């Protein structure tokens, strides 16, 4: 291993290879996951400056048979970006490769290095009059490489698709250290197998993304949101259907928030002033993007909500009168995960379901959970518009959360994922598999699909050095 470390230092410079042998180096930011569920120990944290250095690092690791864990912003929620405890894995941080390389206005595309922070890209795009429509609560820290490697979703998928659908081309380093120059602004390219889409969502298990060309959209003239209290999930789906018909492509977000999730935000972040939900079991945050004007967006939302109030689909509604008020409503939505973390450890499920089946799924699964663990608290929220629920389970009030997780997490997961399977859903909608969920796939993934995945892994990474134990266990 000393030989490998020497080679890595020679490749990227000694300053950019951090190890535990250096008493001044603090590696915790790279070794600890965002939720604090796992703390690994890396052989070294290596921080290359460009694609050639990434390729040389991968060649060195392949030569030594050392495992590589790629890391962007380390905001992933499924333990994919932190090393294991063995002290033998090389953590490859893309943090220094954060440049926006080129914005092609006429092609409505932008090319960035993998370590570019999502929010920086959003800002650069906005300054040029464009929208880069990937929006996540972690956007201030997560990177484009991580977004693509995990095929991130977020709150605008309903209109613009997930990270995969926003990507036109990739530059990538293979497990052997070869560079694939696949950066292209092409919207059509049928010249063979779709390698770009194979690497997107592969969670660092097939290669390292070093740069990407991404789609841009015209910046809308106005983006306005509204808050609606709904009497049931079925009513929320009716509102979604009305909104899709009335707003068309102008409907860019449709988020659902359960009453308990909102009460956690109210308790832990009182300054955010959660709108009153007056006993309604769910709140909806919907967003309208308008190419005409603010007043046109306002009129469209007023008409929609007026109809919904008359029909009883909505029991109460708030239309913000200022940008600050609108931002505050989004803040409420984006603080649910943080409020939940403050409430204590919990069991997270990031599931996808056919939109039409969500009310029946929740009625059945909520009841099953309550029957098995009376008093269990459900933090249900997410991207209803695209069928992605964050269906999280918190210990009953007064029960020690750590003990609850230790004793019940496995059984609760089985109950929830079995229900997801009965409803033809997926055990991961947007967070990925990582090592947290790798054990699930043999049980919940189609066996032929799993065999093909293993064949791809074997073909591209025969040494098994790319993020081992992630996705495929
Ligand atoms: P990391 O966490 O560093 O890595 C994620 C995975 O990608 C790991 O497997 C890693 O090995 C791999 N990887 C990273 N960079 C590369 C690269 N250059 N090449 C190859 N592999 C690489 N996710 C959503 O989809 N939607 C949400 O709405 C959402 N909300 C979130 C809210 C909060 C508060 C937090 C903390 C997280 C949220 N996430 C969400 C999860 C997370 O932010 C996303 O998965 C994000 O895309 C990860 O980006 P990252 O740069 O932090 O990647
Ligand atoms: Zn989400």
């Amino acid at each position: 291993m000393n030989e490998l470390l020497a080679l890595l230092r020679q490749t990227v410079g000694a300053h950019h290879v951090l190890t535990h042998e250096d008493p001044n180096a603090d590696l915790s930011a790279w070794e600890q996951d965002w939720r604090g569920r796992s703390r690994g120990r890396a052989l070294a944290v290596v921080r290359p400056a460009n694609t050639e250095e990434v390729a040389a690092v991968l060649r060195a690791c392949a030569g030594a048979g050392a495992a590589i864990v790629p890391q962007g912003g380390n905001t992933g929620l499924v333990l994919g970006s932190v090393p294991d405890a063995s002290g033998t894995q090389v953590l490859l941080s893309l943090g220094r490769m954060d440049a926006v390389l080129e914005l092609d206005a006429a092609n409505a595309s932008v090319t960035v290095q993998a370590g570019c922070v999502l929010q920086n890209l959003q800002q650069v795009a906005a300054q040029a009059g464009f929208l880069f429509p990937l929006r996540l609560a972690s956007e201030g820290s997560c990177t484009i490489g991580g977004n693509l490697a995990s095929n991130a979703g977020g709150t605008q998928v309903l209109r613009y698709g997930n990270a995969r659908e926003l990507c036109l081309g990739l530059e990538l380093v293979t497990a052997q250290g070869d560079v694939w120059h696949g950066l292209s602004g092409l919207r059509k390219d049928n010249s063979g197998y779709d390698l770009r889409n194979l690497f997107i969502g592969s969670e660092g298990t097939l290669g390292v993304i070093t740069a990407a060309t991404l789609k841009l959209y015209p910046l809308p003239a106005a983006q306005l949101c509204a808050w609606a209290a709904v009497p049931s999930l079925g009513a929320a789906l009716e509102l979604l259907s009305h909104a899709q018909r009335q707003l068309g492509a102008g409907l860019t977000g449709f988020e659902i928030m359960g009453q308990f999730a909102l009460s956690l935000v109210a308790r832990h972040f009182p300054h955010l002033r959660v709108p009153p939900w007056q006993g309604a079991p769910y709140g909806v945050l919907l967003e309208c993007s308008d190419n005409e004007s603010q007043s046109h967006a306002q009129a469209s939302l007023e008409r929609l909500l007026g109809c919904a109030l008359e029909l009883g689909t909505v029991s109460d509604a708030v239309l913000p009168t200022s940008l600050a008020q609108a931002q505050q409503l989004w803040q409420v939505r984006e603080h649910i995960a943080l409020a939940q973390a403050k409430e204590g450890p919990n069991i997270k499920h990031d599931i996808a379901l056919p939109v039409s089946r969500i009310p029946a799924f929740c009625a059945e699964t909520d009841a099953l959970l309550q029957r098995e663990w009376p008093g269990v608290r459900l933090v249900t929220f997410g991207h209803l518009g695209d069928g992605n629920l964050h269906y999280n389970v918190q210990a009953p009030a007064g029960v020690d959360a750590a003990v609850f997780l230790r004793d019940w997490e496995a059984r609760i997961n089985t109950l929830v994922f079995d229900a997801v399977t009965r409803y033809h859903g997926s055990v991961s909608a947007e967070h990925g598999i990582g090592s947290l969920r790798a054990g699930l796939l043999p049980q919940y993934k189609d066996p032929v699909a799993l065999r093909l995945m293993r064949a791809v892994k074997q073909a591209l990474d025969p040494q098994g050095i790319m993020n081992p134990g992630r996705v495929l266990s």
Side-chain angles (χ1 to χ4, degrees), residues 266-386:
R267 181 181 317 156
H268 295 290
F269 298 98
H271 69 282
L272 288 179
R273 282 186 276 147
V274 177
W277 55 87
Q278 291 163 341
Y282 291 95
V284 167
L285 184 60
L286 43 84
E287 184 185 76
C288 168
S289 297
D290 195 289
N291 290 332
E292 272 185 45
S293 64
Q294 180 82 8
S295 54
H296 189 258
Q298 179 107 11
S300 304
L301 279 176
E302 274 170 11
R303 202 171 53 241
L304 173 71
L305 292 171
C307 284
L309 280 162
E310 260 177 44
L311 289 170
T313 325
V314 163
S315 56
D316 200 0
V318 176
L319 204 55
T321 50
S322 67
L323 185 62
Q325 209 189 344
Q327 281 169 345
Q328 197 160 21
L329 290 181
W330 271 110
Q331 292 265 315
V332 169
R333 161 65 185 85
E334 283 167 2
H335 275 69
I336 293 177
L338 300 170
Q340 215 193 338
K342 278 186 180 278
E343 184 72 8
N346 53 78
I347 305 170
K348 288 197 193 301
H349 305 108
D350 160 45
I351 57 179
L353 293 156
V355 175
S356 55
R357 309 203 70 189
I358 285 179
F361 168 87
C362 286
E364 182 182 322
T365 316
D366 289 6
L368 280 174
L369 285 165
Q370 287 300 344
R371 199 181 66 200
E372 297 280 324
W373 298 276
V376 83
R377 298 173 299 166
L378 294 174
V379 186
T380 306
F381 66 103
H383 319 292
L384 188 67
D386 57 59

Side-chain angles (χ1 to χ4, degrees), residues 78-328:
V78 289
L79 303 181
S81 53
V82 287
D84 67 15
S86 66
T88 61
Q89 302 191 323
V90 172
L91 192 133
L92 181 74
S93 166
L94 280 296
R96 288 174 69 211
M97 294 172 56
D98 61 352
V100 175
L101 299 172
E102 190 200 359
L103 192 149
D104 183 343
N107 196 48
S109 64
V110 63
T111 300
V112 299
Q113 286 185 306
C116 177
V117 170
L118 172 56
Q119 198 169 55
N120 293 349
L121 170 55
Q122 292 166 341
Q123 282 164 1
V124 168
Q127 278 156 14
F130 287 101
L131 174 76
F132 180 63
L134 189 64
R135 204 199 284 163
L136 321 176
S138 55
E139 63 202 17
S141 320
C142 68
T143 63
I144 296 302
N147 298 152
L148 290 169
S150 59
N151 189 24
T155 58
Q156 309 280 291
V157 172
L158 172 65
R159 164 70 179 90
Y160 299 102
N162 45 24
R164 173 174 282 125
E165 282 153 282
L166 298 172
C167 182
L168 296 170
L170 284 184
E171 181 188 79
L172 184 119
V173 179
T174 67
Q176 297 75 31
D178 299 324
V179 181
W180 168 40
H181 299 283
L183 287 180
S184 107
L186 300 179
R187 282 169 169 78
K188 285 186 165 181
D189 180 5
N190 279 352
S191 60
Y193 298 150
D194 194 338
L195 297 175
R196 177 191 65 202
N197 277 340
L198 180 61
F199 285 103
I200 295 173
S202 65
E203 301 185 44
T205 62
L206 301 179
V208 177
I209 296 167
T210 48
T213 301
L214 303 156
K215 283 184 201 168
L216 296 174
Y217 287 82
L219 205 55
Q223 274 185 321
L224 202 66
C225 66
W227 182 282
V230 291
S232 65
L233 277 173
L237 283 195
E238 277 177 47
L239 178 63
L240 173 64
S241 164
H242 289 156
Q244 282 171 324
R245 252 180 264 129
Q246 288 196 19
L247 305 177
L251 180 69
T252 46
F254 196 94
E255 299 287 305
I256 190 88
M257 292 152 287
Q259 194 182 78
F260 180 61
L262 292 172
S263 75
L264 289 183
V265 178
R267 181 181 317 156
H268 295 290
F269 298 98
H271 69 282
L272 288 179
R273 282 186 276 147
V274 177
W277 55 87
Q278 291 163 341
Y282 291 95
V284 167
L285 184 60
L286 43 84
E287 184 185 76
C288 168
S289 297
D290 195 289
N291 290 332
E292 272 185 45
S293 64
Q294 180 82 8
S295 54
H296 189 258
Q298 179 107 11
S300 304
L301 279 176
E302 274 170 11
R303 202 171 53 241
L304 173 71
L305 292 171
C307 284
L309 280 162
E310 260 177 44
L311 289 170
T313 325
V314 163
S315 56
D316 200 0
V318 176
L319 204 55
T321 50
S322 67
L323 185 62
Q325 209 189 344
Q327 281 169 345
Q328 197 160 21

